[in-house]
């Protein structure tokens, strides 16, 4: 996608190993096109926001980092011509989302809010960065009672991969 290269031109190649995995995003875009969820929740602004907002209209983005929220909002306004309101995950109550992409904050922040993300999911929850052992173990433990599938198609050049949690 051209928008991905535009993103890395603006934010720099140094951002590539820290941004959401392009392979994870491609997997999710294909899944969203197939399943056609009524709403998409993008938890963690950045490349995921750019990809999802460029492809779909039913996306809400949240972030815990005001700096990244602001940068993402500016990039999307200038390149996708959408005006976003990016608040924190705590701003959402009593809602559920049929598709969530979870790449929120640093790993400690992700662990802290993982149960909230799982509660917000009414269908699919894609969790990025499962290559981090203690995070993967935490997600596996908290996802008991749901289908948890590691996604080999999401493996990238940095050894990162994701998992799909399906609510039962």
């Amino acid at each position: 996608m051209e928008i991905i290269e535009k993103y890395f031109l603006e934010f720099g190649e140094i951002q590539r190993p820290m941004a959401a995995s392009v392979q994870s995003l491609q997997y999710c875009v294909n899944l969203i096109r197939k399943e056609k969820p009524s709403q998409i929740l993008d938890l963690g602004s950045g490349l995921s926001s750019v990809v999802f907002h460029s492809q779909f209209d039913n996306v809400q983005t949240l972030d815990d980092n005001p700096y990244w929220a602001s940068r993402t909002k500016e990039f999307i306004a200038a390149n996708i011509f959408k005006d976003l309101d990016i608040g924190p995950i705590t701003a959402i109550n009593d809602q559920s989302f049929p598709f969530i992409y979870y790449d929120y904050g640093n790993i400690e922040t992700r662990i802290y809010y993982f149960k909230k993300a799982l509660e917000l999911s009414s269908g699919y929850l894609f969790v990025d960065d499962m290559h981090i052992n203690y995070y993967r173990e935490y997600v596996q433990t908290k996802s008991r009672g749901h289908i948890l599938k590691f996604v080999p198609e999401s493996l990238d050049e940095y050894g990162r991969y994701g998992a799909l949690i399906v609510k039962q």
Side-chain angles (χ1 to χ4, degrees):
M1 283 185 221
E2 184 180 317
I3 195 74
I4 291 173
E5 292 314 312
K6 233 178 182 180
Y7 178 87
F8 288 119
L9 279 173
E10 173 139 345
F11 291 96
E13 283 297 315
I14 195 161
Q15 186 61 28
R16 200 173 285 269
M18 293 178 274
S21 162
V22 172
Q23 288 81 350
S24 291
L25 294 171
Q26 289 170 337
Y27 173 85
C28 290
V29 165
N30 291 335
L31 180 63
I32 292 166
R33 285 186 178 143
K34 178 183 170 203
E35 296 296 325
K36 299 178 180 20
S38 59
Q39 292 179 292
I40 299 163
L41 180 58
D42 170 40
L43 290 174
S45 68
L47 183 59
S48 61
S49 313
V50 170
V51 169
F52 293 139
H53 284 281
S54 72
Q55 299 291 311
F56 307 105
D57 291 324
N58 55 340
V59 181
Q60 182 175 355
T61 297
L62 301 175
D63 203 335
D64 68 314
N65 186 314
Y67 172 78
W68 276 110
S70 174
R71 294 285 313 268
T72 300
K73 183 177 175 167
E74 290 169 8
F75 184 87
I76 288 175
N79 293 281
I80 303 173
F81 313 109
K82 286 185 179 179
D83 185 28
L84 302 184
D85 180 22
I86 303 176
I89 193 172
T90 54
I92 293 187
N93 293 307
D94 302 323
Q95 284 183 275
S96 64
F97 296 83
F99 184 87
I100 299 174
Y101 186 84
Y102 193 62
D103 192 22
Y104 197 73
N106 61 36
I107 297 300
E108 289 76 20
T109 302
R110 283 188 220 177
I111 288 171
Y112 184 80
Y113 286 110
F114 179 75
K115 288 192 275 185
K116 172 85 170 172
L118 196 56
E119 288 170 13
L120 292 171
S121 175
S122 62
Y124 298 100
L125 172 61
F126 187 90
V127 183
D128 205 10
D129 293 322
M130 295 301 288
H131 66 289
I132 300 169
N133 291 335
Y134 70 94
Y135 181 54
R136 180 180 62 248
E137 290 168 6
Y138 179 82
V139 168
Q140 286 176 297
T141 300
K142 297 301 177 190
S143 300
R144 289 196 176 116
H146 307 291
I147 297 168
L148 174 71
K149 173 191 163 210
F150 294 104
V151 181
E153 303 94 323
S154 65
L155 181 65
D156 72 4
E157 65 270 28
Y158 305 105
R160 303 179 298 176
Y161 62 92
L164 189 65
I165 300 169
V166 183
K167 279 280 190 127
Q168 292 194 25

PDB file of all heavy atoms in Angstrom, residues 71-82:
ATOM      1  N   ARG A  71       0.176  13.036  16.578  1.00  0.00           N
ATOM      2  CA  ARG A  71       0.907  12.799  15.312  1.00  0.00           C
ATOM      3  C   ARG A  71       0.060  11.989  14.333  1.00  0.00           C
ATOM      4  O   ARG A  71       0.031  12.274  13.137  1.00  0.00           O
ATOM      5  CB  ARG A  71       2.226  12.065  15.565  1.00  0.00           C
ATOM      6  CG  ARG A  71       3.274  12.807  16.352  1.00  0.00           C
ATOM      7  CD  ARG A  71       4.010  13.911  15.602  1.00  0.00           C
ATOM      8  NE  ARG A  71       4.494  13.597  14.280  1.00  0.00           N
ATOM      9  CZ  ARG A  71       5.699  13.126  13.962  1.00  0.00           C
ATOM     10  NH1 ARG A  71       6.574  12.890  14.902  1.00  0.00           N
ATOM     11  NH2 ARG A  71       6.036  12.908  12.708  1.00  0.00           N
ATOM     12  N   THR A  72      -0.611  10.972  14.843  1.00  0.00           N
ATOM     13  CA  THR A  72      -1.457  10.137  13.988  1.00  0.00           C
ATOM     14  C   THR A  72      -2.618  10.950  13.437  1.00  0.00           C
ATOM     15  O   THR A  72      -2.938  10.880  12.247  1.00  0.00           O
ATOM     16  CB  THR A  72      -1.981   8.916  14.775  1.00  0.00           C
ATOM     17  OG1 THR A  72      -0.853   8.145  15.222  1.00  0.00           O
ATOM     18  CG2 THR A  72      -2.898   8.053  13.929  1.00  0.00           C
ATOM     19  N   LYS A  73      -3.235  11.719  14.302  1.00  0.00           N
ATOM     20  CA  LYS A  73      -4.364  12.568  13.883  1.00  0.00           C
ATOM     21  C   LYS A  73      -3.938  13.526  12.772  1.00  0.00           C
ATOM     22  O   LYS A  73      -4.640  13.684  11.766  1.00  0.00           O
ATOM     23  CB  LYS A  73      -4.888  13.334  15.099  1.00  0.00           C
ATOM     24  CG  LYS A  73      -6.080  14.183  14.817  1.00  0.00           C
ATOM     25  CD  LYS A  73      -6.589  14.858  16.072  1.00  0.00           C
ATOM     26  CE  LYS A  73      -7.705  15.797  15.686  1.00  0.00           C
ATOM     27  NZ  LYS A  73      -8.473  16.278  16.785  1.00  0.00           N
ATOM     28  N   GLU A  74      -2.773  14.151  12.928  1.00  0.00           N
ATOM     29  CA  GLU A  74      -2.266  15.080  11.907  1.00  0.00           C
ATOM     30  C   GLU A  74      -1.977  14.365  10.591  1.00  0.00           C
ATOM     31  O   GLU A  74      -2.316  14.875   9.516  1.00  0.00           O
ATOM     32  CB  GLU A  74      -0.991  15.759  12.412  1.00  0.00           C
ATOM     33  CG  GLU A  74      -1.218  16.747  13.528  1.00  0.00           C
ATOM     34  CD  GLU A  74       0.078  17.205  14.194  1.00  0.00           C
ATOM     35  OE1 GLU A  74       1.187  16.873  13.693  1.00  0.00           O
ATOM     36  OE2 GLU A  74      -0.016  17.894  15.227  1.00  0.00           O
ATOM     37  N   PHE A  75      -1.349  13.194  10.663  1.00  0.00           N
ATOM     38  CA  PHE A  75      -1.018  12.454   9.443  1.00  0.00           C
ATOM     39  C   PHE A  75      -2.285  12.027   8.696  1.00  0.00           C
ATOM     40  O   PHE A  75      -2.376  12.165   7.479  1.00  0.00           O
ATOM     41  CB  PHE A  75      -0.162  11.215   9.776  1.00  0.00           C
ATOM     42  CG  PHE A  75       0.278  10.464   8.556  1.00  0.00           C
ATOM     43  CD1 PHE A  75       1.439  10.821   7.881  1.00  0.00           C
ATOM     44  CD2 PHE A  75      -0.468   9.401   8.062  1.00  0.00           C
ATOM     45  CE1 PHE A  75       1.842  10.133   6.740  1.00  0.00           C
ATOM     46  CE2 PHE A  75      -0.080   8.705   6.927  1.00  0.00           C
ATOM     47  CZ  PHE A  75       1.079   9.079   6.262  1.00  0.00           C
ATOM     48  N   ILE A  76      -3.267  11.528   9.434  1.00  0.00           N
ATOM     49  CA  ILE A  76      -4.503  11.082   8.803  1.00  0.00           C
ATOM     50  C   ILE A  76      -5.277  12.258   8.217  1.00  0.00           C
ATOM     51  O   ILE A  76      -5.811  12.171   7.115  1.00  0.00           O
ATOM     52  CB  ILE A  76      -5.347  10.249   9.797  1.00  0.00           C
ATOM     53  CG1 ILE A  76      -4.653   8.881   9.994  1.00  0.00           C
ATOM     54  CG2 ILE A  76      -6.790  10.079   9.320  1.00  0.00           C
ATOM     55  CD1 ILE A  76      -5.279   7.994  11.030  1.00  0.00           C
ATOM     56  N   ALA A  77      -5.295  13.379   8.902  1.00  0.00           N
ATOM     57  CA  ALA A  77      -5.975  14.572   8.372  1.00  0.00           C
ATOM     58  C   ALA A  77      -5.335  15.025   7.066  1.00  0.00           C
ATOM     59  O   ALA A  77      -6.033  15.368   6.108  1.00  0.00           O
ATOM     60  CB  ALA A  77      -5.945  15.696   9.403  1.00  0.00           C
ATOM     61  N   ALA A  78      -4.013  15.001   7.009  1.00  0.00           N
ATOM     62  CA  ALA A  78      -3.290  15.480   5.826  1.00  0.00           C
ATOM     63  C   ALA A  78      -3.311  14.486   4.667  1.00  0.00           C
ATOM     64  O   ALA A  78      -3.250  14.903   3.506  1.00  0.00           O
ATOM     65  CB  ALA A  78      -1.847  15.805   6.199  1.00  0.00           C
ATOM     66  N   ASN A  79      -3.388  13.198   4.959  1.00  0.00           N
ATOM     67  CA  ASN A  79      -3.238  12.199   3.902  1.00  0.00           C
ATOM     68  C   ASN A  79      -4.499  11.402   3.578  1.00  0.00           C
ATOM     69  O   ASN A  79      -4.640  10.900   2.472  1.00  0.00           O
ATOM     70  CB  ASN A  79      -2.121  11.227   4.278  1.00  0.00           C
ATOM     71  CG  ASN A  79      -0.774  11.909   4.288  1.00  0.00           C
ATOM     72  OD1 ASN A  79      -0.170  12.120   3.249  1.00  0.00           O
ATOM     73  ND2 ASN A  79      -0.308  12.279   5.479  1.00  0.00           N
ATOM     74  N   ILE A  80      -5.395  11.281   4.543  1.00  0.00           N
ATOM     75  CA  ILE A  80      -6.622  10.506   4.312  1.00  0.00           C
ATOM     76  C   ILE A  80      -7.845  11.423   4.397  1.00  0.00           C
ATOM     77  O   ILE A  80      -8.940  11.053   4.032  1.00  0.00           O
ATOM     78  CB  ILE A  80      -6.710   9.328   5.318  1.00  0.00           C
ATOM     79  CG1 ILE A  80      -5.459   8.449   5.183  1.00  0.00           C
ATOM     80  CG2 ILE A  80      -7.959   8.485   5.093  1.00  0.00           C
ATOM     81  CD1 ILE A  80      -5.347   7.367   6.237  1.00  0.00           C
ATOM     82  N   PHE A  81      -7.617  12.641   4.876  1.00  0.00           N
ATOM     83  CA  PHE A  81      -8.647  13.679   4.948  1.00  0.00           C
ATOM     84  C   PHE A  81      -9.805  13.305   5.866  1.00  0.00           C
ATOM     85  O   PHE A  81     -10.967  13.541   5.556  1.00  0.00           O
ATOM     86  CB  PHE A  81      -9.137  14.049   3.543  1.00  0.00           C
ATOM     87  CG  PHE A  81      -7.999  14.280   2.586  1.00  0.00           C
ATOM     88  CD1 PHE A  81      -7.739  13.376   1.570  1.00  0.00           C
ATOM     89  CD2 PHE A  81      -7.159  15.371   2.738  1.00  0.00           C
ATOM     90  CE1 PHE A  81      -6.664  13.575   0.711  1.00  0.00           C
ATOM     91  CE2 PHE A  81      -6.086  15.577   1.888  1.00  0.00           C
ATOM     92  CZ  PHE A  81      -5.841  14.675   0.869  1.00  0.00           C
ATOM     93  N   LYS A  82      -9.444  12.702   6.995  1.00  0.00           N
ATOM     94  CA  LYS A  82     -10.409  12.402   8.047  1.00  0.00           C
ATOM     95  C   LYS A  82      -9.971  13.124   9.301  1.00  0.00           C
ATOM     96  O   LYS A  82      -8.784  13.186   9.603  1.00  0.00           O
ATOM     97  CB  LYS A  82     -10.446  10.896   8.353  1.00  0.00           C
ATOM     98  CG  LYS A  82     -11.126  10.042   7.331  1.00  0.00           C
ATOM     99  CD  LYS A  82     -11.186   8.603   7.823  1.00  0.00           C
ATOM    100  CE  LYS A  82     -11.878   7.696   6.840  1.00  0.00           C
ATOM    101  NZ  LYS A  82     -11.897   6.298   7.334  1.00  0.00           N
TER     102      LYS A  82
END
